[in-house]
Structure formats: C-alpha cells, structure tokens
Amino acid sequence: MGSFSHYSLPHLSAIGLTLLSCFLCIKLVKNKRQAKKLRQLLTLGLIIKLLWYHLWQIFFEHNLSLQRHLPLHISQLSIILMIVALSINRNFFYQFIYFWAGWSSVLAILLPEQSENFPHPRFLEFFFGYLLLLTSLSYICWVEKIRMTYKYLWIVAGALASYCTVIYPINFILETNFVFLREKPKFSAALNIIPAPPWHIPFLVLVVLLLLHLQCLPYYIAKKQKPTTRA
C-alpha cells in the first residue's frame, strides 16, 4: 500500500475525480427536481463522511484524541456548516459557506495533510469528504446561482478572525493545533517558506485573504446566467 505521496497517481486520480464530480454537477442538473435530489444526496453523503471519520477512529484505530475528534478544524466545521446550508437552502447561508469552505477545501485537496495511501479507508474517507465539499460548492454556485455580494467576503474574514482568536488559546490549553495556529503546516516541503511560529500567522492571514478574493472569480463567470430568486 505504501505511504501517501503528493501528486502521485492516487493523489492525481482523487483530484481528477473531484473535478469530474464538480463538472457533472454543473452539467447534468437541468431542473428544480434534479437540484433537490442532488442537494439531498450531497447532504446525506456529508453526514456519512462525518460518521465514517469518527467511527473509524474509535473502533478501528482506537484513537480518542482531542485533536482528531473535537470538530474545531476548518474542514470539519465546513462539513457541518455545509450540511446546515444545504438543509436550509437559503442564499445568505450559501454565501457564507461558499467563502468559509472554498479556500480551505481547495488547499486541502492540493496539499493534503495525509499519510495513508490508496486504498486505505482513511485515504478514501479524506478525499471522499473533499469531493463532496467541492461538489457542494459547485452546486451552490452554478445550480443554485447564489447572488454573491462582496460584503460576505469580509463577513467571513471577520468570522474567521474571531474564530482564530478563540481557538488560539484553546490550542495551548489542550495542546492541539487547530487551524495551524500553534504550529505551521508540515505536510509539504513547499510550505517550508512559511516563517516559524508565531510569525507564520500573519503569512497565513495574507494567504487566506488572497484566496478569498480569488473565490470571487467563479461567481463572475457564473453571473451571466440569470439568478434564481432566493430568500
């Protein structure tokens, strides 16, 4: 089986399948009935992903750690918020989750913090989750045609800043590294350019702000389509 390697065949295959899923989501949904079924399917898939992750840790790896099981990582919060957004089906929540989850999902699938390789269940669970998240983001952008406003970028930036302010001392109390605030990411040699803690935090802030602005590009591509009327 071997250990995971960035941009190996399994990694590139996972990225390819994710892109294919996003493309099919955009191209195959033609009416509201199909959109509703896809929304329900994505919601169910995300719930299964959450259960899969925690049950595997408990019953197969017997790994009960705060770092793994507290839902304080951006990725875990993104899945929870996406489940809520798809269930509520409202434009304001779609805008929030689009900016909250988009940048982190793209980074995670391109530079995954992953050690197990295909076909290990942890490999499948990891990439299955991000395939669902990115497909859900494609759904809300191109199928639901969210009416994005620039202010939501700064609402999410403020929410992230507030969240990190709360999480930062918690990391030291619990000896965890949620949102990589206590220690910089170490899962890719390319990230060696990041300054040593705590100076890596301003660097991460600038990167996140850049990625949030880049997330506006798909909207400007999609806005030529007539938006739906969402509350």
Side-chain angles (χ1 to χ4, degrees):
M1 186 180 297
S3 59
F4 178 81
S5 178
H6 289 90
Y7 303 107
S8 59
L9 180 59
H11 186 197
L12 291 175
S13 298
I15 294 174
L17 287 173
T18 301
L19 292 174
L20 177 62
S21 178
C22 295
F23 175 79
L24 292 177
C25 165
I26 296 168
K27 292 297 182 180
L28 297 184
V29 177
K30 301 298 184 182
N31 53 56
K32 291 184 177 180
R33 182 180 178 183
Q34 292 176 345
K36 181 179 179 180
K37 287 184 177 180
L38 177 58
R39 188 170 69 248
Q40 293 172 339
L41 185 63
L42 289 170
T43 304
L44 178 61
L46 290 168
I47 293 172
I48 291 172
K49 193 275 176 196
L50 274 181
L51 294 175
W52 182 357
Y53 174 80
H54 292 288
L55 292 176
W56 177 265
Q57 294 291 328
I58 293 171
F59 291 106
F60 294 95
E61 295 191 4
H62 307 288
N63 190 345
L64 299 175
S65 67
L66 295 175
Q67 178 75 14
R68 289 184 177 272
H69 289 287
L70 284 179
L72 299 179
H73 288 290
I74 292 293
S75 58
Q76 292 173 312
L77 280 174
S78 295
I79 290 175
I80 294 170
L81 291 173
M82 183 63 78
I83 291 171
V84 175
L86 292 173
S87 301
I88 293 176
N89 193 30
R90 291 292 184 270
N91 187 77
F92 73 93
F93 217 113
Y94 280 152
Q95 288 194 69
F96 186 89
I97 191 60
Y98 176 79
F99 282 114
W100 179 279
W103 63 273
S104 59
S105 299
V106 171
L107 277 182
I109 200 169
L110 292 179
L111 295 170
E113 187 183 15
Q114 177 70 16
S115 57
E116 293 84 1
N117 202 13
F118 180 86
H120 195 284
R122 282 293 310 281
F123 176 96
L124 299 175
E125 171 265 325
F126 181 90
F127 285 103
F128 174 68
Y130 284 107
L131 181 148
L132 289 173
L133 265 178
L134 288 168
T135 303
S136 298
L137 289 167
S138 299
Y139 169 83
I140 65 179
C141 186
W142 273 280
V143 178
E144 291 293 337
K145 302 182 181 68
I146 58 173
R147 300 188 306 279
M148 190 187 303
T149 51
Y150 186 61
K151 72 174 184 179
Y152 266 86
L153 183 154
W154 293 106
I155 290 174
V156 171
L160 283 168
S162 300
Y163 180 72
C164 290
T165 301
V166 174
I167 290 298
Y168 188 74
I170 291 177
N171 276 331
F172 286 92
I173 295 170
L174 300 180
E175 297 185 351
T176 52
N177 191 33
F178 296 118
V179 204
F180 301 109
L181 293 176
R182 191 170 173 225
E183 299 177 8
K184 68 178 184 178
K186 299 177 181 178
F187 45 84
S188 174
L191 298 177
N192 290 336
I193 62 172
I194 299 177
W199 304 109
H200 72 298
I201 295 178
F203 181 90
L204 294 178
V205 169
L206 291 175
V207 170
V208 170
L209 284 176
L210 174 62
L211 293 173
L212 285 173
H213 281 82
L214 287 176
Q215 279 183 242
C216 293
L217 292 178
Y219 168 72
Y220 288 116
I221 295 173
K223 72 176 183 178
K224 295 180 181 180
Q225 303 177 33
K226 185 178 180 180
T228 57
T229 56
R230 288 282 178 201

